[in-house]
Amino acid sequence: MLELKNISFKRDNKIILNNINLTLDDDKFYCITGPNGSGKSTLAKIIMGLIIPDSGSIIYNGIDITNLTVDERAKLGLGFAFQNPVTFKGLTVYDLLKIATGSEVGKKEACDILSKVGLCAKEYIDRELNNSLSGGELKRIEIASVIARCPSVSIFDEPEAGIDLWSFKYLTEIFKEIGLKKNGTTIVISHQERILSIADAIILLEAGQIKEAGNKDTMLNNILASDCLKGGTHE
Ligand SMILES: Nc1ncnc2c1ncn2[C@@H]1O[C@H](COP(=O)(O)OP(=O)(O)OP(=O)(O)O)[C@@H](O)[C@H]1O
Ligand SMILES: [Mg+2]
């Protein structure tokens, strides 16, 4: 169980997160949504330890992880896919998947994971992680690395960004599969109705605060009624 208690974060006199309280259960699929700039990515970075909050605490399975480093959190089982994927000079896709799993993963297994995110494994496994890969390809590789790691808490920040409309439906299936497996807490930050509709619960952030949170059906009805989603299409 992951608990966020009274989390606040301010930068340049701007309140970015204001007293966030959340309890995220094991084996549940959560979607965090909300307008641009509402603090979603900041909250994800705080959970991962990329940013330390000004006040409040994060408790993971009873352990206070508020001041732990990213590496220490990763060892406890937290994994993260960035909104804008990172590239590493000299590192191949296969290297990344090996690092992600923390073990000597075979090429066949690595190829299976790449196929899951819709990449032709043969073409990509030995490619270097650099700008020669398209935005959508990098995004898929990043998602593959989280799937490979299989963390107890996985956080995906706008996995739909940069993924074409045709592949988007396929991507939703991957998340559905992750959700169905129920082998940990999954948190997906998304603006897409298709992804929101496969969650167990939805958290709506607005101006750094939780405006509403609850089970998917009620939340999705309220959100759709307020007309603030991008619909089922991809942008
Ligand atoms: N280090 C920082 N210094 C100043 N402002 C920041 C900093 N980090 C984030 N912000 C601001 O905090 C607000 C929340 O940013 P955040 O990236 O968390 O939004 P978001 O909900 O993920 O938005 P989007 O949907 O566009 O991805 C934004 O207004 C952003 O400009
Ligand atoms: Mg964001």
Side-chain angles (χ1 to χ4, degrees):
M1 188 165 75
L2 186 67
E3 297 163 274
L4 306 185
K5 294 183 177 171
N6 308 108
I7 297 288
S8 293
F9 182 71
K10 204 162 99 176
R11 273 294 172 276
D12 305 332
N13 288 326
K14 180 184 159 139
I15 297 172
I16 297 174
L17 291 174
N18 187 4
N19 204 29
I20 301 283
N21 283 288
L22 262 183
T23 300
L24 304 175
D25 293 326
D26 295 339
D27 301 337
K28 271 212 172 148
F29 190 123
Y30 295 91
C31 261
I32 301 180
T33 193
N36 294 136
S38 53
K40 304 178 297 296
S41 294
T42 306
L43 188 62
K45 285 175 189 163
I46 283 177
I47 295 173
M48 285 313 303
L50 296 165
I51 297 175
I52 302 296
D54 298 330
S55 56
S57 53
I58 310 168
I59 314 290
Y60 178 55
N61 289 343
I63 303 167
D64 189 334
I65 62 164
T66 320
N67 294 306
L68 294 192
T69 62
V70 181
D71 286 353
E72 286 166 334
R73 288 176 210 222
K75 279 190 195 121
L76 286 175
L78 287 94
F80 191 45
F82 295 88
Q83 186 169 357
N84 301 303
V86 269
T87 54
F88 301 93
K89 207 170 178 312
L91 202 75
T92 67
V93 173
Y94 183 41
D95 292 331
L96 179 76
L97 293 178
K98 278 196 287 193
I99 293 168
T101 53
S103 66
E104 197 49 48
V105 60
K107 268 209 170 163
K108 160 99 180 57
E109 203 184 323
C111 286
D112 287 348
I113 297 168
L114 281 180
S115 306
K116 267 199 178 159
V117 295
L119 290 176
C120 172
K122 258 192 282 170
E123 267 180 46
Y124 289 94
I125 193 85
D126 292 318
R127 287 274 297 268
E128 193 180 317
L129 281 171
N130 59 27
N131 292 336
S132 71
L133 289 156
S134 78
E137 286 166 346
L138 275 172
K139 191 86 195 176
R140 284 156 194 257
I141 290 163
E142 179 105 19
I143 294 167
S145 78
V146 180
I147 294 174
R149 222 179 306 157
C150 200
S152 356
V153 178
S154 332
I155 309 175
F156 299 90
D157 193 355
E158 294 197 31
E160 69 265 24
I163 304 273
D164 62 83
L165 176 61
W166 292 271
S167 312
F168 179 60
K169 200 173 161 210
Y170 190 68
L171 182 75
T172 314
E173 292 302 315
I174 296 171
F175 284 105
K176 220 186 249 175
E177 212 181 285
I178 295 173
L180 284 176
K181 265 200 211 142
K182 302 262 179 211
N183 52 0
T185 310
T186 306
I187 305 164
V188 180
I189 296 172
S190 179
H191 298 281
Q192 294 290 336
E193 184 186 343
R194 269 219 189 107
I195 293 190
L196 265 65
S197 67
I198 57 173
D200 295 310
I202 298 175
I203 297 145
L204 175 63
L205 273 193
E206 216 175 88
Q209 287 183 299
I210 296 175
K211 193 179 177 215
E212 227 183 322
N215 77 59
K216 185 250 322 237
D217 293 326
T218 319
M219 286 295 294
L220 201 51
N221 278 341
N222 294 351
I223 291 169
L224 289 174
S226 68
D227 204 23
C228 63
L229 274 186
K230 288 180 192 165
T233 55
H234 182 65
E235 285 180 5

